[in-house]
Amino acid sequence: MEYLDQDTSNCSVGRAVGLVGQSWVLLILRDVTRGIRRFSDLQDHLGVSRSVLADRLGGLVDHGLLELHTYQEPGARRRAEYVLTEKGRDLYPLLTSLRQWGDKYLADPEGPALLATHHDCGAPVRARLVCDEGHVIGAPEEVDRTPGPSARPRPTADVPA
Amino acid sequence: MEYLDQDTSNCSVGRAVGLVGQSWVLLILRDVTRGIRRFSDLQDHLGVSRSVLADRLGGLVDHGLLELHTYQEPGARRRAEYVLTEKGRDLYPLLTSLRQWGDKYLADPEGPALLATHHDCGAPVRARLVCDEGHVIGAPEEVDRTPGPSARPRPTADVPA
DNA sequence: CAGCTAGGTTCGAAAGTCGAACTCAGCCGG
DNA sequence: CCGGCTGAGTTCGACTTTCGAACCTAGCTG
């Protein structure tokens, strides 16, 4: 059980939650992935307050998940558009895991509200746990957790200097 | 672009965010998955306030992600222990996606704090997008999104009754 | 029977979120 | 040139959530 004594404050899960666990962030990323890219369209679809939306979009740009592009169609005013960076696109597996879990446990009886299918073959898309040898992982019990290079021992109150 | 006019309020991503997107919930599930199962151990590892921890654990039990077991070792007081249900264990791919993304973009320079490896072969574990035909999905652009059985048209203000 | 521990609950203060109103710039019709 | 419209925010006071610290309660233990 010694890994329980590792500090989790620099665990990647914790850091990632700090970014994408803020309210509305995952929903913003879902909608941007769906092709909704403008401030007012996002506000319209999400129903979030403008102040929070502006704050979250700013944070996502600052952290490099989105880029703000301005473009101008002829005869129209300049408009802003938020597009995913690679860092943002790399969260798509996370969104898929979330959708998949929600479809299984929280969907309406008649089925999910959105189907994701492979563009090439039309088959449903899902997230799957695998190891680098190609084995499929079915349960958390099949996974060993060991401290990595940046693991720190947990600070204990009973060890004086 | 017609799928942009679907209502997203009953999308599984949104519902799932409503449950697991609450602050501390994913971190609680991470630690329970790691084997930390008692109230005070969780409070100790996470640094969350007791009131919020009690609220979140209660919510997770109510929603069937955790079960509260009480047990009594001989000569000791009765103690409580929170264990994952299948519904809770099924979030493990989500936690893995989160860890994987955090390891790639937010980890310390020397590497991640926690390594997850396959118990059978020792190879690193990762989440991967696949379709049911077995094709590996590399980018969100390879996925088609179509309205499912419970999709609703988006309420519009300009359609009178 | 006083003290300790596990597992909470209660409380006022601090932080976050809300909707509504306001700002600012560029385009448009008259 | 003037008033209005639209996109993209910012500001503001009310409301809600989260915080840390203190308190409570059972069941052991000396």
Side-chain angles (χ1 to χ4, degrees), chain A:
Chain A
M1 286 261 184
E2 66 286 341
Y3 65 84
L4 294 184
D5 295 325
Q6 295 300 315
D7 184 14
T8 55
S9 63
N10 68 338
C11 163
S12 291
V13 174
R15 295 187 182 193
V17 166
L19 268 187
V20 303
Q22 292 179 92
S23 62
W24 298 106
V25 163
L26 285 174
L27 298 176
I28 290 169
L29 292 170
R30 174 198 64 182
D31 278 2
V32 173
T33 305
R34 289 192 348 144
I36 301 169
R37 304 191 206 290
R38 289 191 297 276
F39 187 91
S40 44
D41 289 345
L42 288 166
Q43 208 266 322
D44 201 33
H45 272 80
L46 292 170
V48 60
S49 72
R50 294 175 164 282
S51 45
V52 170
L53 180 58
D55 179 77
R56 294 301 182 273
L57 287 172
L60 290 170
V61 169
D62 285 349
H63 286 98
L65 283 82
L66 296 178
E67 276 175 1
L68 174 57
H69 293 178
T70 59
Y71 68 99
Q72 186 156 24
E73 287 175 2
R77 191 151 41 347
R78 196 142 57 146
R79 300 191 66 177
E81 159 177 83
Y82 292 90
V83 304
L84 285 169
T85 62
E86 193 201 339
K87 186 172 177 181
R89 270 197 306 278
D90 277 349
L91 280 172
Y92 190 63
L94 181 85
L95 288 171
T96 300
S97 303
L98 206 55
R99 184 179 49 70
Q100 186 176 340
W101 186 84
D103 284 349
K104 181 166 179 184
Y105 291 107
L106 306 175
D108 285 339
E110 66 260 42
L114 189 76
L115 302 174
T117 51
H118 189 194
H119 182 72
D120 294 352
C121 72
V125 170
R126 62 187 74 251
R128 164 150 293 179
L129 286 190
V130 299
C131 76
D132 281 358
E133 297 290 325
H135 304 129
V136 174
I137 316 278
E141 294 78 24
E142 298 172 32
V143 178
D144 290 333
R145 279 162 280 274
T146 52
S150 67
R152 306 270 173 269
R154 242 163 67 76
T156 48
D158 52 5
V159 179

